Amino acid sequence: MDGMGIDDVAVQMGVSKHTLRYYEREGLLPPVAKAANGHRRYTDDDLGWIRFLQLLRATGMPIREMKEFVDLAHAGEHTVADRVAVLTHYREALVTRMAQDRDHLEHLDRKLEYYEGVLAAANAVPEDITRSVRA
Amino acid sequence: MDGMGIDDVAVQMGVSKHTLRYYEREGLLPPVAKAANGHRRYTDDDLGWIRFLQLLRATGMPIREMKEFVDLAHAGEHTVADRVAVLTHYREALVTRMAQDRDHLEHLDRKLEYYEGVLAAANAVPEDITRSVRA
DNA sequence: CCTTGACTTCGAGTGCACTCGAAGTCCTAC
DNA sequence: GTAGGACTTCGAGTGCACTCGAAGTCAAGG
């Protein structure tokens, strides 16, 4: 039989076996083919789906809405416009978050600069003390 | 008495009153001063802390580690180097996430382009059908 | 034959970060 | 003086996304 076992898929895709079964249970993944012994065999299509799901998750989409999206995809071509709408929505949320992250990074760097200053001062103080002791 | 009430702080900082009390309980916020009637009065320093906590959260730091950080800050100047280490760690995690986000955005845009193509084709098909019917 | 080990299903448990509700207190306005 | 409403504490509940463990099945190796 062709296809990969769940263990290989888990390693290759960087998710746990538990998560793979969980996604399937939740309907995010179409029912995966089973070998004669009942073991899952993942096709390349399955792998593609998993990659896509990972992308959706990475955009911040919750499982519930991912399921809705998957159902739309399953419903056929007439849902493409809806799917574009959903994706566009999360695209915008992602762009917003990216802007916020840039902002947060800037703030963080300012904090770090401040701390570096404190650190430099702390290193300088002993010298001053030395000098004052010497004086 | 000076300082703001919890309601104003919640509105101004964009967090719920529940969360403000929760943060205080968890030791993320130093014990906030209380008016004679037991109501919390937030000083400007408190507001500054809250803003800082929001920054830490935004970098992806979990509550538990925020508490550790706060404890370090409370412990005095000799912990500055440790604090810099923690902040630097989360700074790097943030930078990594930002890079991943750029990557995700690119993938998402490719998906969207693909879908736009499908949509354009779907709009084109009826014309073709019309033509074939006419022929 | 029987142990080993990886798979299966199923429901239950975990960790996180809130979020809520009950019960009580205290000022304000009528 | 009492009804209303916002505050207080405290412990319990929620939602999310896994994560785990028990119990069973199956194929291969010794």
Side-chain angles (χ1 to χ4, degrees), chain A residues 55-114:
Chain A
L55 174 60
L56 295 186
R57 284 292 293 127
T59 66
M61 194 184 293
I63 298 289
R64 179 179 29 79
E65 192 151 1
M66 282 170 67
K67 170 149 179 51
E68 287 171 27
F69 189 93
V70 167
D71 288 345
L72 280 181
H74 187 249
E77 293 248 324
H78 64 281
T79 65
V80 167
D82 291 335
R83 281 181 262 166
V84 167
V86 172
L87 255 37
T88 301
H89 172 76
Y90 279 97
R91 193 204 114 93
E92 271 155 34
L94 180 59
V95 167
T96 301
R97 271 217 319 286
M98 285 170 72
Q100 286 171 343
D101 278 350
R102 279 191 289 278
D103 211 56
H104 295 321
L105 181 60
E106 200 189 309
H107 276 74
L108 197 51
D109 281 342
R110 277 213 285 280
K111 267 288 171 199
L112 277 166
E113 264 174 50
Y114 164 75

Short mmCIF file of all heavy atoms in Angstrom, two decimals, chain A residues 55-114:
data_model
loop_
_atom_site.label_atom_id
_atom_site.label_comp_id
_atom_site.label_asym_id
_atom_site.label_seq_id
_atom_site.Cartn_x
_atom_site.Cartn_y
_atom_site.Cartn_z
N LEU A 55 -1.11 26.34 8.04
CA LEU A 55 -1.10 27.73 7.62
C LEU A 55 -2.28 28.49 8.24
O LEU A 55 -2.12 29.58 8.79
CB LEU A 55 -1.16 27.81 6.10
CG LEU A 55 -1.31 29.22 5.50
CD1 LEU A 55 -0.13 30.09 5.91
CD2 LEU A 55 -1.45 29.17 3.99
N LEU A 56 -3.46 27.87 8.16
CA LEU A 56 -4.64 28.53 8.73
C LEU A 56 -4.45 28.78 10.22
O LEU A 56 -4.72 29.87 10.72
CB LEU A 56 -5.89 27.66 8.50
CG LEU A 56 -6.33 27.47 7.05
CD1 LEU A 56 -7.64 26.71 6.98
CD2 LEU A 56 -6.46 28.80 6.32
N ARG A 57 -3.96 27.77 10.94
CA ARG A 57 -3.72 27.92 12.38
C ARG A 57 -2.76 29.07 12.62
O ARG A 57 -2.95 29.87 13.53
CB ARG A 57 -3.10 26.63 12.96
CG ARG A 57 -4.04 25.50 13.16
CD ARG A 57 -5.07 25.75 14.26
NE ARG A 57 -4.49 25.85 15.58
CZ ARG A 57 -4.70 26.86 16.40
NH1 ARG A 57 -5.43 27.89 16.03
NH2 ARG A 57 -4.17 26.86 17.59
N ALA A 58 -1.73 29.13 11.78
CA ALA A 58 -0.69 30.15 11.96
C ALA A 58 -1.25 31.56 11.75
O ALA A 58 -0.71 32.53 12.28
CB ALA A 58 0.46 29.90 11.00
N THR A 59 -2.32 31.66 10.98
CA THR A 59 -2.92 32.99 10.79
C THR A 59 -3.80 33.35 11.98
O THR A 59 -4.35 34.44 12.04
CB THR A 59 -3.78 33.05 9.53
OG1 THR A 59 -4.93 32.19 9.71
CG2 THR A 59 -3.02 32.60 8.31
N GLY A 60 -3.93 32.43 12.92
CA GLY A 60 -4.72 32.72 14.12
C GLY A 60 -6.15 32.20 14.04
O GLY A 60 -6.96 32.50 14.91
N MET A 61 -6.46 31.43 13.01
CA MET A 61 -7.82 30.92 12.88
C MET A 61 -8.07 29.83 13.92
O MET A 61 -7.26 28.92 14.06
CB MET A 61 -8.03 30.37 11.46
CG MET A 61 -9.49 30.12 11.12
SD MET A 61 -9.72 29.36 9.49
CE MET A 61 -9.19 30.67 8.41
N PRO A 62 -9.19 29.93 14.65
CA PRO A 62 -9.50 28.89 15.62
C PRO A 62 -10.00 27.62 14.92
O PRO A 62 -10.49 27.66 13.79
CB PRO A 62 -10.61 29.50 16.46
CG PRO A 62 -11.24 30.53 15.61
CD PRO A 62 -10.16 31.03 14.69
N ILE A 63 -9.87 26.49 15.63
CA ILE A 63 -10.27 25.19 15.10
C ILE A 63 -11.69 25.20 14.55
O ILE A 63 -11.96 24.67 13.46
CB ILE A 63 -10.17 24.12 16.22
CG1 ILE A 63 -8.72 24.01 16.71
CG2 ILE A 63 -10.70 22.78 15.76
CD1 ILE A 63 -7.78 23.37 15.75
N ARG A 64 -12.59 25.80 15.30
CA ARG A 64 -14.00 25.83 14.92
C ARG A 64 -14.19 26.42 13.52
O ARG A 64 -14.90 25.87 12.67
CB ARG A 64 -14.78 26.65 15.95
CG ARG A 64 -16.26 26.81 15.70
CD ARG A 64 -16.90 27.64 16.83
NE ARG A 64 -15.96 28.58 17.41
CZ ARG A 64 -15.61 29.76 16.87
NH1 ARG A 64 -16.10 30.14 15.71
NH2 ARG A 64 -14.74 30.55 17.49
N GLU A 65 -13.50 27.55 13.29
CA GLU A 65 -13.67 28.20 12.00
C GLU A 65 -12.90 27.47 10.90
O GLU A 65 -13.31 27.47 9.73
CB GLU A 65 -13.19 29.66 12.07
CG GLU A 65 -13.62 30.45 10.86
CD GLU A 65 -13.82 31.91 11.20
OE1 GLU A 65 -13.60 32.29 12.37
OE2 GLU A 65 -14.18 32.67 10.29
N MET A 66 -11.83 26.81 11.28
CA MET A 66 -11.11 25.99 10.31
C MET A 66 -12.04 24.90 9.80
O MET A 66 -12.05 24.58 8.62
CB MET A 66 -9.87 25.38 10.95
CG MET A 66 -8.71 26.35 11.07
SD MET A 66 -7.38 25.70 12.09
CE MET A 66 -6.79 24.35 11.09
N LYS A 67 -12.81 24.35 10.72
CA LYS A 67 -13.75 23.31 10.32
C LYS A 67 -14.78 23.85 9.34
O LYS A 67 -15.09 23.22 8.34
CB LYS A 67 -14.45 22.73 11.55
CG LYS A 67 -15.62 21.82 11.18
CD LYS A 67 -15.86 20.71 12.16
CE LYS A 67 -17.06 19.85 11.72
NZ LYS A 67 -16.95 19.42 10.30
N GLU A 68 -15.28 25.05 9.64
CA GLU A 68 -16.24 25.67 8.72
C GLU A 68 -15.62 25.85 7.35
O GLU A 68 -16.25 25.60 6.32
CB GLU A 68 -16.69 27.04 9.27
CG GLU A 68 -17.63 26.93 10.46
CD GLU A 68 -17.89 28.28 11.12
OE1 GLU A 68 -17.79 29.31 10.42
OE2 GLU A 68 -18.17 28.30 12.34
N PHE A 69 -14.37 26.29 7.35
CA PHE A 69 -13.67 26.50 6.09
C PHE A 69 -13.53 25.19 5.31
O PHE A 69 -13.79 25.13 4.10
CB PHE A 69 -12.29 27.10 6.35
CG PHE A 69 -11.59 27.54 5.11
CD1 PHE A 69 -11.70 28.85 4.66
CD2 PHE A 69 -10.84 26.64 4.37
CE1 PHE A 69 -11.07 29.26 3.50
CE2 PHE A 69 -10.21 27.04 3.20
CZ PHE A 69 -10.32 28.35 2.77
N VAL A 70 -13.14 24.16 6.02
CA VAL A 70 -12.97 22.85 5.41
C VAL A 70 -14.30 22.37 4.83
O VAL A 70 -14.35 21.82 3.73
CB VAL A 70 -12.42 21.84 6.43
CG1 VAL A 70 -12.53 20.43 5.92
CG2 VAL A 70 -10.97 22.18 6.77
N ASP A 71 -15.39 22.62 5.57
CA ASP A 71 -16.70 22.22 5.08
C ASP A 71 -17.05 22.97 3.79
O ASP A 71 -17.62 22.39 2.86
CB ASP A 71 -17.77 22.49 6.15
CG ASP A 71 -17.66 21.50 7.32
OD1 ASP A 71 -16.97 20.47 7.15
OD2 ASP A 71 -18.24 21.77 8.38
N LEU A 72 -16.69 24.26 3.77
CA LEU A 72 -16.92 25.05 2.56
C LEU A 72 -16.15 24.44 1.39
O LEU A 72 -16.70 24.28 0.29
CB LEU A 72 -16.44 26.49 2.76
CG LEU A 72 -17.36 27.45 3.52
CD1 LEU A 72 -16.72 28.82 3.58
CD2 LEU A 72 -18.73 27.53 2.87
N ALA A 73 -14.90 24.11 1.65
CA ALA A 73 -14.06 23.56 0.59
C ALA A 73 -14.66 22.25 0.07
O ALA A 73 -14.63 21.97 -1.11
CB ALA A 73 -12.64 23.32 1.12
N HIS A 74 -15.22 21.50 1.00
CA HIS A 74 -15.81 20.21 0.65
C HIS A 74 -17.11 20.39 -0.14
O HIS A 74 -17.51 19.54 -0.93
CB HIS A 74 -16.07 19.40 1.92
CG HIS A 74 -16.53 18.00 1.66
ND1 HIS A 74 -17.80 17.58 1.96
CD2 HIS A 74 -15.89 16.94 1.11
CE1 HIS A 74 -17.94 16.31 1.59
NE2 HIS A 74 -16.79 15.89 1.09
N ALA A 75 -17.77 21.52 0.10
CA ALA A 75 -19.09 21.76 -0.51
C ALA A 75 -19.00 22.03 -2.01
O ALA A 75 -19.99 21.91 -2.72
CB ALA A 75 -19.79 22.91 0.20
N GLY A 76 -17.81 22.41 -2.49
CA GLY A 76 -17.67 22.60 -3.92
C GLY A 76 -17.25 24.01 -4.33
O GLY A 76 -17.07 24.89 -3.49
N GLU A 77 -17.14 24.19 -5.62
CA GLU A 77 -16.59 25.42 -6.18
C GLU A 77 -17.43 26.67 -5.91
O GLU A 77 -16.92 27.77 -5.90
CB GLU A 77 -16.43 25.26 -7.70
CG GLU A 77 -15.38 24.24 -8.12
CD GLU A 77 -14.17 24.91 -8.79
OE1 GLU A 77 -14.40 25.90 -9.51
OE2 GLU A 77 -13.04 24.46 -8.56
N HIS A 78 -18.72 26.46 -5.72
CA HIS A 78 -19.57 27.65 -5.53
C HIS A 78 -19.31 28.35 -4.20
O HIS A 78 -19.88 29.40 -3.93
CB HIS A 78 -21.05 27.26 -5.65
CG HIS A 78 -21.52 26.32 -4.57
ND1 HIS A 78 -21.26 24.97 -4.60
CD2 HIS A 78 -22.20 26.54 -3.44
CE1 HIS A 78 -21.77 24.40 -3.53
NE2 HIS A 78 -22.35 25.33 -2.80
N THR A 79 -18.45 27.76 -3.36
CA THR A 79 -18.14 28.41 -2.08
C THR A 79 -16.81 29.16 -2.12
O THR A 79 -16.36 29.68 -1.10
CB THR A 79 -18.03 27.36 -0.96
OG1 THR A 79 -16.91 26.51 -1.22
CG2 THR A 79 -19.29 26.52 -0.86
N VAL A 80 -16.22 29.23 -3.30
CA VAL A 80 -14.89 29.85 -3.40
C VAL A 80 -14.91 31.30 -2.92
O VAL A 80 -14.01 31.74 -2.20
CB VAL A 80 -14.34 29.75 -4.83
CG1 VAL A 80 -13.12 30.65 -5.00
CG2 VAL A 80 -13.96 28.30 -5.16
N ALA A 81 -15.96 32.02 -3.28
CA ALA A 81 -16.04 33.42 -2.88
C ALA A 81 -16.07 33.53 -1.35
O ALA A 81 -15.41 34.38 -0.76
CB ALA A 81 -17.27 34.07 -3.49
N ASP A 82 -16.85 32.65 -0.72
CA ASP A 82 -16.90 32.64 0.74
C ASP A 82 -15.52 32.36 1.33
O ASP A 82 -15.10 32.99 2.30
CB ASP A 82 -17.87 31.55 1.24
CG ASP A 82 -19.32 31.89 0.91
OD1 ASP A 82 -19.61 33.10 0.75
OD2 ASP A 82 -20.13 30.95 0.80
N ARG A 83 -14.86 31.40 0.73
CA ARG A 83 -13.53 31.03 1.24
C ARG A 83 -12.56 32.20 1.11
O ARG A 83 -11.77 32.47 2.02
CB ARG A 83 -13.01 29.82 0.46
CG ARG A 83 -13.63 28.52 0.95
CD ARG A 83 -13.07 27.33 0.19
NE ARG A 83 -13.94 26.91 -0.90
CZ ARG A 83 -13.57 26.07 -1.87
NH1 ARG A 83 -12.34 25.59 -1.88
NH2 ARG A 83 -14.43 25.71 -2.81
N VAL A 84 -12.65 32.90 -0.01
CA VAL A 84 -11.78 34.07 -0.19
C VAL A 84 -12.08 35.09 0.90
O VAL A 84 -11.17 35.70 1.48
CB VAL A 84 -12.00 34.69 -1.59
CG1 VAL A 84 -11.36 36.07 -1.66
CG2 VAL A 84 -11.42 33.77 -2.66
N ALA A 85 -13.37 35.25 1.23
CA ALA A 85 -13.75 36.21 2.26
C ALA A 85 -13.13 35.85 3.60
O ALA A 85 -12.56 36.70 4.29
CB ALA A 85 -15.28 36.27 2.37
N VAL A 86 -13.23 34.57 3.96
CA VAL A 86 -12.67 34.13 5.23
C VAL A 86 -11.16 34.35 5.27
O VAL A 86 -10.61 34.92 6.21
CB VAL A 86 -12.99 32.63 5.48
CG1 VAL A 86 -12.24 32.13 6.70
CG2 VAL A 86 -14.48 32.43 5.63
N LEU A 87 -10.52 33.89 4.21
CA LEU A 87 -9.06 34.03 4.13
C LEU A 87 -8.63 35.49 4.17
O LEU A 87 -7.64 35.85 4.83
CB LEU A 87 -8.55 33.37 2.84
CG LEU A 87 -7.85 32.02 2.97
CD1 LEU A 87 -8.48 31.14 4.03
CD2 LEU A 87 -7.82 31.30 1.62
N THR A 88 -9.37 36.32 3.50
CA THR A 88 -9.03 37.74 3.47
C THR A 88 -9.16 38.35 4.86
O THR A 88 -8.32 39.15 5.28
CB THR A 88 -9.96 38.48 2.49
OG1 THR A 88 -9.81 37.91 1.19
CG2 THR A 88 -9.63 39.97 2.43
N HIS A 89 -10.20 37.92 5.54
CA HIS A 89 -10.41 38.39 6.92
C HIS A 89 -9.20 38.06 7.78
O HIS A 89 -8.69 38.92 8.51
CB HIS A 89 -11.67 37.74 7.49
CG HIS A 89 -11.87 38.01 8.94
ND1 HIS A 89 -12.32 39.22 9.41
CD2 HIS A 89 -11.65 37.25 10.04
CE1 HIS A 89 -12.38 39.18 10.73
NE2 HIS A 89 -11.98 37.99 11.14
N TYR A 90 -8.73 36.82 7.70
CA TYR A 90 -7.60 36.42 8.53
C TYR A 90 -6.30 37.02 8.02
O TYR A 90 -5.37 37.27 8.80
CB TYR A 90 -7.53 34.90 8.66
CG TYR A 90 -8.50 34.44 9.70
CD1 TYR A 90 -9.77 33.98 9.36
CD2 TYR A 90 -8.20 34.55 11.05
CE1 TYR A 90 -10.69 33.62 10.34
CE2 TYR A 90 -9.11 34.20 12.03
CZ TYR A 90 -10.34 33.73 11.67
OH TYR A 90 -11.25 33.38 12.62
N ARG A 91 -6.25 37.27 6.75
CA ARG A 91 -5.08 37.96 6.20
C ARG A 91 -4.95 39.33 6.83
O ARG A 91 -3.88 39.75 7.26
CB ARG A 91 -5.21 38.12 4.68
CG ARG A 91 -3.92 38.53 3.99
CD ARG A 91 -4.18 39.22 2.67
NE ARG A 91 -3.76 40.62 2.75
CZ ARG A 91 -2.55 41.04 2.39
NH1 ARG A 91 -1.67 40.22 1.91
NH2 ARG A 91 -2.23 42.31 2.53
N GLU A 92 -6.08 40.01 6.93
CA GLU A 92 -6.06 41.35 7.51
C GLU A 92 -5.70 41.31 8.99
O GLU A 92 -4.93 42.14 9.48
CB GLU A 92 -7.41 42.05 7.31
CG GLU A 92 -7.44 42.80 5.99
CD GLU A 92 -8.85 43.00 5.46
OE1 GLU A 92 -9.77 43.17 6.28
OE2 GLU A 92 -9.01 42.99 4.22
N ALA A 93 -6.25 40.32 9.69
CA ALA A 93 -5.92 40.17 11.11
C ALA A 93 -4.42 39.92 11.27
O ALA A 93 -3.79 40.46 12.18
CB ALA A 93 -6.73 39.03 11.71
N LEU A 94 -3.90 39.11 10.37
CA LEU A 94 -2.47 38.80 10.42
C LEU A 94 -1.63 40.05 10.19
O LEU A 94 -0.66 40.31 10.93
CB LEU A 94 -2.14 37.74 9.36
CG LEU A 94 -0.70 37.27 9.25
CD1 LEU A 94 -0.21 36.69 10.56
CD2 LEU A 94 -0.54 36.25 8.13
N VAL A 95 -2.02 40.83 9.21
CA VAL A 95 -1.28 42.07 8.91
C VAL A 95 -1.33 43.00 10.12
O VAL A 95 -0.32 43.61 10.49
CB VAL A 95 -1.87 42.76 7.66
CG1 VAL A 95 -1.34 44.16 7.52
CG2 VAL A 95 -1.56 41.93 6.41
N THR A 96 -2.49 43.08 10.74
CA THR A 96 -2.63 43.91 11.94
C THR A 96 -1.69 43.44 13.04
O THR A 96 -0.98 44.23 13.66
CB THR A 96 -4.09 43.87 12.45
OG1 THR A 96 -4.94 44.33 11.42
CG2 THR A 96 -4.25 44.73 13.69
N ARG A 97 -1.70 42.14 13.25
CA ARG A 97 -0.83 41.59 14.30
C ARG A 97 0.63 41.85 14.00
O ARG A 97 1.43 42.14 14.89
CB ARG A 97 -1.05 40.08 14.42
CG ARG A 97 -2.15 39.68 15.39
CD ARG A 97 -1.77 38.41 16.14
NE ARG A 97 -1.12 37.42 15.29
CZ ARG A 97 -1.73 36.67 14.39
NH1 ARG A 97 -3.04 36.78 14.22
NH2 ARG A 97 -1.07 35.80 13.66
N MET A 98 0.99 41.77 12.71
CA MET A 98 2.38 42.01 12.34
C MET A 98 2.78 43.44 12.66
O MET A 98 3.89 43.68 13.15
CB MET A 98 2.57 41.69 10.86
CG MET A 98 2.59 40.20 10.56
SD MET A 98 2.51 39.81 8.80
CE MET A 98 4.15 40.30 8.25
N ALA A 99 1.87 44.36 12.42
CA ALA A 99 2.15 45.77 12.72
C ALA A 99 2.30 45.95 14.23
O ALA A 99 3.22 46.63 14.70
CB ALA A 99 1.03 46.65 12.19
N GLN A 100 1.42 45.30 14.98
CA GLN A 100 1.51 45.39 16.44
C GLN A 100 2.82 44.80 16.93
O GLN A 100 3.46 45.35 17.84
CB GLN A 100 0.33 44.66 17.08
CG GLN A 100 -0.98 45.41 16.95
CD GLN A 100 -2.16 44.57 17.38
OE1 GLN A 100 -2.06 43.34 17.49
NE2 GLN A 100 -3.29 45.22 17.64
N ASP A 101 3.23 43.69 16.33
CA ASP A 101 4.48 43.06 16.73
C ASP A 101 5.65 44.00 16.49
O ASP A 101 6.56 44.07 17.32
CB ASP A 101 4.68 41.75 15.95
CG ASP A 101 3.91 40.60 16.57
OD1 ASP A 101 3.40 40.77 17.69
OD2 ASP A 101 3.82 39.54 15.93
N ARG A 102 5.64 44.69 15.38
CA ARG A 102 6.72 45.65 15.11
C ARG A 102 6.75 46.70 16.22
O ARG A 102 7.82 47.08 16.71
CB ARG A 102 6.52 46.31 13.74
CG ARG A 102 7.01 45.45 12.58
CD ARG A 102 7.05 46.23 11.28
NE ARG A 102 5.72 46.54 10.75
CZ ARG A 102 4.98 45.70 10.04
NH1 ARG A 102 5.42 44.48 9.79
NH2 ARG A 102 3.80 46.07 9.59
N ASP A 103 5.57 47.12 16.60
CA ASP A 103 5.44 48.11 17.66
C ASP A 103 5.98 47.55 18.98
O ASP A 103 6.74 48.23 19.68
CB ASP A 103 3.95 48.44 17.81
CG ASP A 103 3.75 49.87 18.25
OD1 ASP A 103 4.27 50.77 17.55
OD2 ASP A 103 3.10 50.07 19.29
N HIS A 104 5.58 46.33 19.29
CA HIS A 104 6.01 45.71 20.53
C HIS A 104 7.53 45.55 20.54
O HIS A 104 8.18 45.76 21.57
CB HIS A 104 5.34 44.35 20.70
CG HIS A 104 3.86 44.43 20.85
ND1 HIS A 104 3.25 45.43 21.59
CD2 HIS A 104 2.86 43.67 20.37
CE1 HIS A 104 1.94 45.26 21.55
NE2 HIS A 104 1.68 44.20 20.80
N LEU A 105 8.07 45.17 19.41
CA LEU A 105 9.52 44.98 19.31
C LEU A 105 10.24 46.28 19.61
O LEU A 105 11.23 46.32 20.34
CB LEU A 105 9.89 44.47 17.92
CG LEU A 105 11.38 44.20 17.70
CD1 LEU A 105 11.88 43.14 18.67
CD2 LEU A 105 11.66 43.78 16.26
N GLU A 106 9.69 47.35 19.07
CA GLU A 106 10.30 48.66 19.28
C GLU A 106 10.29 49.02 20.77
O GLU A 106 11.31 49.45 21.33
CB GLU A 106 9.51 49.69 18.47
CG GLU A 106 10.24 50.97 18.19
CD GLU A 106 9.32 52.01 17.60
OE1 GLU A 106 8.59 51.69 16.61
OE2 GLU A 106 9.27 53.12 18.14
N HIS A 107 9.14 48.80 21.40
CA HIS A 107 9.04 49.09 22.83
C HIS A 107 10.01 48.24 23.63
O HIS A 107 10.66 48.73 24.56
CB HIS A 107 7.61 48.81 23.31
CG HIS A 107 6.67 49.94 23.09
ND1 HIS A 107 6.16 50.24 21.84
CD2 HIS A 107 6.14 50.86 23.94
CE1 HIS A 107 5.36 51.29 21.94
NE2 HIS A 107 5.33 51.68 23.21
N LEU A 108 10.07 46.98 23.25
CA LEU A 108 10.95 46.06 23.96
C LEU A 108 12.40 46.51 23.83
O LEU A 108 13.17 46.50 24.79
CB LEU A 108 10.76 44.66 23.37
CG LEU A 108 11.27 43.47 24.17
CD1 LEU A 108 10.76 43.50 25.59
CD2 LEU A 108 10.82 42.18 23.48
N ASP A 109 12.75 46.95 22.64
CA ASP A 109 14.12 47.41 22.42
C ASP A 109 14.42 48.65 23.24
O ASP A 109 15.53 48.82 23.74
CB ASP A 109 14.35 47.67 20.92
CG ASP A 109 14.60 46.37 20.17
OD1 ASP A 109 14.92 45.36 20.82
OD2 ASP A 109 14.45 46.36 18.93
N ARG A 110 13.43 49.50 23.38
CA ARG A 110 13.63 50.69 24.22
C ARG A 110 13.87 50.27 25.66
O ARG A 110 14.75 50.80 26.34
CB ARG A 110 12.41 51.63 24.13
CG ARG A 110 12.47 52.52 22.91
CD ARG A 110 11.84 53.88 23.18
NE ARG A 110 10.38 53.84 23.22
CZ ARG A 110 9.61 53.81 22.14
NH1 ARG A 110 10.16 53.82 20.93
NH2 ARG A 110 8.31 53.78 22.26
N LYS A 111 13.07 49.30 26.14
CA LYS A 111 13.26 48.79 27.50
C LYS A 111 14.67 48.24 27.65
O LYS A 111 15.35 48.47 28.65
CB LYS A 111 12.26 47.66 27.78
CG LYS A 111 10.97 48.10 28.42
CD LYS A 111 11.13 48.51 29.88
CE LYS A 111 9.84 49.13 30.38
NZ LYS A 111 10.00 49.95 31.59
N LEU A 112 15.08 47.46 26.66
CA LEU A 112 16.40 46.84 26.74
C LEU A 112 17.50 47.89 26.75
O LEU A 112 18.47 47.77 27.50
CB LEU A 112 16.57 45.86 25.57
CG LEU A 112 15.96 44.48 25.83
CD1 LEU A 112 15.85 43.66 24.57
CD2 LEU A 112 16.79 43.72 26.87
N GLU A 113 17.33 48.92 25.93
CA GLU A 113 18.29 50.02 25.93
C GLU A 113 18.39 50.64 27.31
O GLU A 113 19.48 50.88 27.83
CB GLU A 113 17.86 51.09 24.94
CG GLU A 113 18.51 50.98 23.57
CD GLU A 113 17.91 52.01 22.62
OE1 GLU A 113 17.84 53.20 22.99
OE2 GLU A 113 17.46 51.60 21.52
N TYR A 114 17.22 50.85 27.90
CA TYR A 114 17.18 51.43 29.23
C TYR A 114 17.94 50.55 30.22
O TYR A 114 18.77 51.02 30.99
CB TYR A 114 15.73 51.60 29.67
CG TYR A 114 15.58 51.84 31.15
CD1 TYR A 114 15.89 53.08 31.72
CD2 TYR A 114 15.13 50.82 31.99
CE1 TYR A 114 15.77 53.30 33.08
CE2 TYR A 114 15.01 51.02 33.36
CZ TYR A 114 15.33 52.27 33.90
OH TYR A 114 15.21 52.47 35.24
#
